[in-house]
Amino acid sequence: MDGFDLVVRGGTVVTSSDVFRADVGVVGGTIAAIGRDLRGGREIDAGGLLVLPGGVDTHCHIEQLQKGGGADEEGWVSGSTACLAGGTTTVVTFSTQFKGAGIAGPLADYRRRAGAAMVDYGFHQIITDATDDVIWREIPEAVAAGVRSLKVFLTYDALALDDRGFLRVLAAARRAGALVTVHCENYEAIRWRTEALLAAGRTAPKYHAWSRPKMIEREAAHRAIALAEMVDQPIQIFHVSCSEVAEEIARARHRGLKVWGETCPQYFTLTAGHMDRPGFEGAKFMCSPAPRDAADQAALWEDIRRGTLDVISSDHSGWCFDGPRGKQVAGRDASFRDIPNGVPGLMARLPIIFSVGVAAGRIDLPHFARLIAGNPAKLFGLAGKGAIVPGNDADLVLWDPARRTTLTQSLMQHAIDYTPYEGLEVTGWPVATIRRGEVVMRDNLVQAEPGSGRYLARGTYDLIRPTGRLPDGFDASAFA
Ligand code: URP
Ligand code: ZN
Ligand code: ZN
């Protein structure tokens, strides 16, 4: 067969269920055929390489607006560059709300900024203030504009919703047909332990982990699930750090609830011990929930294998280590309470998960493809993304499964000034990234036009429809 714009020839194609030798033919940026002996105007030799779906990162913070003006230190051009260098072609990032203000203004500003993207992108809307106007007018408007997921924080001074606010967001999402994602940690328990640690003079970065042990994550996840069950609203629990939380998700799913779980590379590679490095160095590894220990990492792999955790995102955060912003915004002697949380990881996500997952024999190739692309695309309604099938966008990564690389800052191509994975040896590396049929990265060199990414307005889809099971059959979400 000929007449394709582009043919990726002779590679080993990885779909969500299979691995087989085939050519991939592309017409107009779309996968037109998968077969043998395809011919096209341009051909790329993929002999000896895997052909993976372009990565879909449904939890990353890029150029996120900050209170008081400006945005975090990862911009759309640098963030897109890091994504494409690492084999990610689609992201879902965050439009934010500041307490006391609405969501439409920041959303419009954020949408304008994202016009520079070189990856395809959609947004989650963070809700921090569940006012009547936000709940009854602005959320339905944002969802109608294609922002089909909301994020709620159950902790952080500036962001946390109380249970009533959370319930109001769940109800608004149910009415509008959106998914709710939840940061699960118990705010009051963290406050109490933090006060005690600071009073005891324990202020170093390592005490970040002490301030939020596993049971506070588990308690919040349990509560989030119970409240979502009461409203009959599907949720995804973000950045699960330990099996105790996955167990809550598994029990919910066993009862037929629509509850999904996401985890991140940091929970397979970093431990609380990293935050105990000398001086301020530990701040580089500080994220929430906190990294745990080696036994927790092993247990998380079991949750991945069982399918309880079915998405691995980066949770990339745009905080530099040096300089007056980012990790040192409160000074180099700041207590753990005043150090911004989060670690960068846009580029490193696929290499790390391939290495510690596939190369280490813990998961097979289709499972890898589902975790980093297929499942997040399905769960977040990203039509045409996440899988190598005819009709989908031709988002492909040519992957050398044997190449060994030592991760280092210069390979990350982000705007952040460090990587928490410095020195980590990985097996498996992206050789080329193709976005909608265009080769946008080859041998670590990203070449894409700022603004060439597309906004992905997400419409309704079946997966996140409520189950119809309500306590006493009463739909409180119709009234409050
Ligand atoms: O520590 C983290 N995860 N920072 C990013 C913000 C969030 O909670 O997702
Ligand atoms: Zn979070
Ligand atoms: Zn996050």
Side-chain angles (χ1 to χ4, degrees), residues 212-261:
R212 49 216 323 130
K214 289 192 279 184
M215 54 287 273
I216 65 101
E217 187 185 351
R218 178 183 195 141
E219 184 281 331
H222 180 89
R223 182 161 34 103
I225 290 168
L227 298 184
E229 180 175 11
M230 185 169 76
V231 179
D232 183 26
Q233 167 57 37
I235 58 171
Q236 187 199 41
I237 297 189
F238 266 171
H239 39 48
V240 173
S241 75
C242 61
S243 221
E244 284 80 349
V245 172
E247 193 183 321
E248 298 293 336
I249 297 170
R251 288 198 317 191
R253 289 165 80 120
H254 190 68
R255 294 207 303 284
L257 304 185
K258 290 193 174 185
V259 176
W260 293 274

Side-chain angles (χ1 to χ4, degrees), residues 337-400:
R337 187 191 52 192
D338 300 320
I339 300 170
N341 290 187
V343 295
L346 289 172
M347 193 279 161
R349 181 177 70 115
L350 267 58
I352 288 176
I353 297 304
F354 188 92
S355 187
V356 296
V358 180
R362 293 186 170 103
I363 52 173
D364 63 16
L365 283 166
H367 197 167
F368 174 73
R370 293 196 300 275
L371 288 166
I372 56 92
N375 291 341
K378 268 193 201 150
L379 182 59
F380 287 95
L382 293 160
K385 297 294 188 187
I388 303 179
V389 291
N392 266 9
D393 287 349
D395 296 337
L396 307 168
V397 188
L398 308 192
W399 190 272
D400 182 343

Side-chain angles (χ1 to χ4, degrees), residues 63-370:
E63 206 165 320
Q64 190 166 314
L65 301 186
Q66 296 302 318
K67 201 177 168 103
D72 66 22
E73 297 182 272
E74 191 70 81
W76 274 102
V77 172
S78 59
S80 299
T81 303
C83 283
L84 296 174
T88 289
T89 48
T90 301
V91 297
V92 184
T93 63
F94 296 85
S95 175
T96 195
Q97 180 198 12
F98 303 107
K99 283 190 195 287
I103 63 177
L107 179 56
D109 185 4
Y110 193 57
R111 178 97 193 253
R112 222 173 7 256
R113 287 170 180 265
M118 308 187 301
V119 287
D120 293 347
Y121 59 95
F123 305 139
H124 308 288
Q125 176 63 52
I126 294 172
I127 306 294
T128 60
D129 204 353
T131 63
D132 281 349
D133 193 45
V134 167
I135 292 295
W136 291 100
R137 187 180 65 81
E138 288 203 303
I139 287 178
E141 283 178 9
V143 175
V147 182
R148 202 154 285 276
S149 44
L150 310 175
K151 178 171 185 184
V152 163
F153 290 85
L154 301 184
T155 191
Y156 290 133
D157 292 340
L159 304 171
L161 284 182
D162 61 15
D163 288 352
R164 181 172 173 275
F166 177 42
L167 282 165
R168 279 164 64 81
V169 174
L170 290 168
R174 189 175 199 274
R175 290 190 296 269
L179 183 66
V180 175
T181 64
V182 195
H183 179 123
C184 292
E185 292 186 294
N186 181 309
Y187 177 53
E188 295 296 347
I190 294 169
R191 277 182 67 190
W192 178 74
R193 275 185 75 85
T194 299
E195 281 161 12
L197 285 162
L198 297 185
R202 297 175 187 241
T203 60
K206 79 168 186 181
Y207 294 110
H208 173 71
W210 291 35
S211 73
R212 49 216 323 130
K214 289 192 279 184
M215 54 287 273
I216 65 101
E217 187 185 351
R218 178 183 195 141
E219 184 281 331
H222 180 89
R223 182 161 34 103
I225 290 168
L227 298 184
E229 180 175 11
M230 185 169 76
V231 179
D232 183 26
Q233 167 57 37
I235 58 171
Q236 187 199 41
I237 297 189
F238 266 171
H239 39 48
V240 173
S241 75
C242 61
S243 221
E244 284 80 349
V245 172
E247 193 183 321
E248 298 293 336
I249 297 170
R251 288 198 317 191
R253 289 165 80 120
H254 190 68
R255 294 207 303 284
L257 304 185
K258 290 193 174 185
V259 176
W260 293 274
E262 170 216 74
T263 187
C264 313
Q266 46 271 40
Y267 300 115
F268 298 105
T269 47
L270 304 181
T271 66
H274 282 84
M275 286 180 279
D276 197 15
R277 297 219 173 147
F280 200 65
E281 195 70 9
K284 288 183 175 173
F285 310 96
M286 187 183 281
C287 56
S288 292
R292 308 295 178 188
D293 66 22
D296 290 308
Q297 294 178 356
L300 268 190
W301 277 116
E302 289 306 315
D303 299 314
I304 292 277
R305 271 197 285 271
R306 279 192 283 265
T308 308
L309 303 178
D310 59 1
V311 169
I312 302 185
S313 309
S314 69
D315 194 7
H316 174 90
S317 293
W319 308 121
C320 283
F321 181 68
D322 276 318
R325 298 175 68 204
K327 296 284 184 185
Q328 298 180 32
V329 70
R332 220 183 154 93
D333 295 326
S335 86
F336 69 86
R337 187 191 52 192
D338 300 320
I339 300 170
N341 290 187
V343 295
L346 289 172
M347 193 279 161
R349 181 177 70 115
L350 267 58
I352 288 176
I353 297 304
F354 188 92
S355 187
V356 296
V358 180
R362 293 186 170 103
I363 52 173
D364 63 16
L365 283 166
H367 197 167
F368 174 73
R370 293 196 300 275

